[in-house]
Amino acid sequence: RHEELTGALLDSRIDLALAFDPENMPGIRGEALGLGRFVVLAPPGLDLGAEGPVKLERLSGMPFIRLDNQGPLDRLLNTHIDACEVKLDTVAVAGSYQLAKALVSQGLGVAIADEITARSRGWEDVVVRPLKPELTFRIAALHVDNESISRVCRQFVAHLRESLDTFLSCNSSPS
């Protein structure tokens, strides 16, 4: 839903936006914050095989919670699944990664989500494992290209970059 962010930035309704996997947008500049990755979410006790990354093919035949394909990460993930030619048994379609995580915690099935959502508070009764093959996405702070951002915004971006790096490196080995 980068179109909404672009419009708000260009209309000066906001000074800064946070985006996952941002596209090149005319008049918008992105400041790289880091790389995120997708992970597998599963209810405790579900057999995902040996410890470590879970192959996408392993999810075939398991009840799968799919995202609604509305956002850039949803499209990136669905393109990846299609390219891997893996058939997943969709039992529910969630409108957000938080909802998918909640459904997984209730035992409805497995899902693939961004690692930031996977590590967020709420619905902690979920097993998080890396996805194989790995699928990453860029995380960026967006602002209007031909306008300088304020010192406060620059400081915020620097702090966010550092915090994100710490968060992702502390959680680089999902259980």
Side-chain angles (χ1 to χ4, degrees), residues 69 73-85 135:
N69 204 27
L73 287 188
D74 306 346
R75 289 189 294 270
L76 178 66
L77 177 58
N78 286 327
T79 299
H80 180 71
I81 292 170
D82 291 344
C84 291
E85 299 180 352
L135 179 60

Side-chain angles (χ1 to χ4, degrees), residues 9 13 16 19 26 32 56 59 65 67 70 79-80 100 102 107 109 115 118 127 132 136 154 168:
L9 286 165
R13 288 180 280 145
L16 204 59
L56 188 58
L59 304 180
I65 301 162
L67 273 290
Q70 296 297 312
T79 299
H80 180 71
E115 67 181 316
V127 174
K132 186 175 182 178
T136 61
R154 282 194 309 274
L168 294 177

Side-chain angles (χ1 to χ4, degrees), residues 37-40 48-59 128-135 172-175:
R37 66 182 173 161
F38 285 93
V39 294
V40 174
L48 293 175
E51 288 297 315
V54 177
K55 289 186 177 183
L56 188 58
E57 297 82 20
R58 178 81 177 155
L59 304 180
V128 179
R129 300 262 299 272
L131 177 65
K132 186 175 182 178
E134 185 175 68
L135 179 60
S172 62
S173 301
S175 57

